[in-house]
């Protein structure tokens, strides 16, 4: 006998019965009751996933909490803990108002170079039409315009003059020859200049413009360069010169006490022994707040834990991470969890609930409210010193965490483990030892959003150029992204800074760490023309 359960058109399940259910067979009835409950739970899970996908595809991407959603009587009451005999920890409700200030057009243009064009009346015409007397300037009428100067290309000939002595040529045995000094080129025996390589790098790694589109653009400027040539310049510039800055940045990074880490996928077409569809990974490591930004990308074939373990082998301190377990086995490191991820699970649980699921909605909303209160406290102490922030967290955040922990234990047996709400509760309990680490040091952050913001430009660029051809190209991209993103966060213009590096690096002792330090993005000796307009 075959029974077909009619489900929504996105889900169809067929159950085969091998035996006939006898009315008085209690064991068989109990079996099918249990089986029916399993199928209903599975159906609810699929429906949750469908609603969540619909929200992700068509709904707003913001995770901002609706104020009306939180205005429930439930949150005006004292929180219940597992043991009613234990005194309830209290916490303050912190309100936060953000002042939005928008700059005027004048303020936005005040740092741009300005050219003045005066329109005057000739001296002969400066005569009053009424009485014939000489006129004077009464006022000025000013009109401002923004002018764009498109990219221009020219050939620069570096002519090195050589000098000799005519007297010695005629009378002497030897003729001294003196050659004028000339800066060493970054790319010998090549038409590539520091400016064109910096321009192409900036277009690809800052603006996300693939090389094949740059190839077309250069043709309109009168330059016929193949994308293979452009790619060779990228690899050569990264491996020969920028890697020296990258390696020194890494040495500085591993001396920090607090770091952030994240990773994302990358497709590399020509990896030995792997198909073109295989996923590779771009790892990101960076330092925390109140430090000159230092951001490093590293390409690896897999997401295995051996990669961060090797990269961070000389690091000893706190590491902000997400929920990925690959960081758990790194020695001498204390992991600090991400509350944004914890909050996101409760937010998704709310979005996945069907209409009428009142109790589950109250539960998910309550979990979300705990997270919101923690973030409200962080906003309040954002501009405080680490010492003051540490004290505020102990006074306000710790009681919330204690109540939240008790609430999570109470909800664990009540929610379906595989439901969206069950996953939210499970995530918090599983990573609780990492989620409370931010209480230990006022310099720590409540989330890992800093690394997510830093890796986002790579994710956006990946959508434009989709893949890397070879592992060598992926490694070069990691180096260039590291230089560009660190330069941006230190207030530098990526193009001007890259151009400056290609001009300076061939003419210094690159084995001298002090000289390399003078070229790092946060160095005070970087010239003003490399600074971005404010």
């Amino acid at each position: 006998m075959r029974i077909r359960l009619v489900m929504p058109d996105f889900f169809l399940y067929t159950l085969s019965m091998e035996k006939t259910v006898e009315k008085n067979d209690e064991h068989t009835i109990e079996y099918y009751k249990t089986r029916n409950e399993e199928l209903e739970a599975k159906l609810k899970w699929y429906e949750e996933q469908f609603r969540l996908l619909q929200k992700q595809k068509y709904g707003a991407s913001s995770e901002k909490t609706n104020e009306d959603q939180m205005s429930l009587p439930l949150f005006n009451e004292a929180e219940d803990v597992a043991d009613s005999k234990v005194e309830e920890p209290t916490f303050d409700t912190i309100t936060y108002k953000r002042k939005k200030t928008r700059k005027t057009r004048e303020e936005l243009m005040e740092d741009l170079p300005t050219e003045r064009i005066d329109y005057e009346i000739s001296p002969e015409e400066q005569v009053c039409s009424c009485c014939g007397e000489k006129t004077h300037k009464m006022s000025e009428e000013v009109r401002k315009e923004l002018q764009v100067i498109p990219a221009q290309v020219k050939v620069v000939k570096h002519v090195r003059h050589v000098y000799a002595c005519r007297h010695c040529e005629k009378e002497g045995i030897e003729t001294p020859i003196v050659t004028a000094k000339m800066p060493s080129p970054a790319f010998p025996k090549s038409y590539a200049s520091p400016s064109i390589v910096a321009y192409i790098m900036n277009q690809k790694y800052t603006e996300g413009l693939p090389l094949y589109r740059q190839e077309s653009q250069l043709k309109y400027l009168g330059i016929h360069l193949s994308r293979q040539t452009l790619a060779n310049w990228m690899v050569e510039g990264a491996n020969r010169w920028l890697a020296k800055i990258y390696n020194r940045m890494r040495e500085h990074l591993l001396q920090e006490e607090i770091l952030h880490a994240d990773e994302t996928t990358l497709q590399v077409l020509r990896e030995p022994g792997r198909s073109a569809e295989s996923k590779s990974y771009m790892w990101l490591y960076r330092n925390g707040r109140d430090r000159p930004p230092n951001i490093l990308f590293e390409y690896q074939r897999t997401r295995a834990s051996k990669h961060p373990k090797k990269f961070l082998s000389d690091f000893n301190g706190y590491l902000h991470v997400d929920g990925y377990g690959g960081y758990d086995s790194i020695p001498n490191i204390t992991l600090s969890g991400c509350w944004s991820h914890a909050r996101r699970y409760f937010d998704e649980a709310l979005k996945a609930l069907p209409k009428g699921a009142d109790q589950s909605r109250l539960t998910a909303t309550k979990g979300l409210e705990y997270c919101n209160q923690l973030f409200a406290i962080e906003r309040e102490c954002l501009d405080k010193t680490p010492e003051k922030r540490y004290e505020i967290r102990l006074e306000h955040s710790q009681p919330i965490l204690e109540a939240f922990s008790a609430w999570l234990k109470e909800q664990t047996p009540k929610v379906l483990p595989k439901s969206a709400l069950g996953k939210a509760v499970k995530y918090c309990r599983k990573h609780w030892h990492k989620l409370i680490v931010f209480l230990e040091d006022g310099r720590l952050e409540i989330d890992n959003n800093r690394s997510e913001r830093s890796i986002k430009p790579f994710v956006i660029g990946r959508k434009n150029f989709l893949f890397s051809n070879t592992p060598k190209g992926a490694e070069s991209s990691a180096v260039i992204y590291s230089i560009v993103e660190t330069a941006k966060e230190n207030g530098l213009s990526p193009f001007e800074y890259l151009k400056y590096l290609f001009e300076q690096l061939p003419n210094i002792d690159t084995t001298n760490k002090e000289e390399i330090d003078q070229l790092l993005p946060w160095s005070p000796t970087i010239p003003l023309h490399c600074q971005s307009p404010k």
Side-chain angles (χ1 to χ4, degrees), residues 260-262 320-322 337-339 446-452:
H260 295 251
D262 202 0
H320 289 86
V321 295
D322 302 336
C338 178
W339 275 99
I446 195 173
D447 53 40
N448 196 31
N449 289 350
R450 190 173 295 273
S451 66
E452 289 192 0

Side-chain angles (χ1 to χ4, degrees), residues 259-263 283-285 308 312 318-328 330 333-341 427 431 434-435 445-449 451-452:
L259 295 182
H260 295 251
D262 202 0
E263 70 285 334
W283 296 74
L284 176 134
Y285 307 92
L312 300 170
Y318 291 99
L319 181 66
H320 289 86
V321 295
D322 302 336
Y324 175 51
Y327 301 100
D328 295 345
I330 304 176
I333 287 179
T334 303
L335 299 179
S336 181
C338 178
W339 275 99
S340 285
H341 277 69
Y427 179 90
H431 299 283
K434 292 184 282 188
L435 290 172
E445 299 180 49
I446 195 173
D447 53 40
N448 196 31
N449 289 350
S451 66
E452 289 192 0

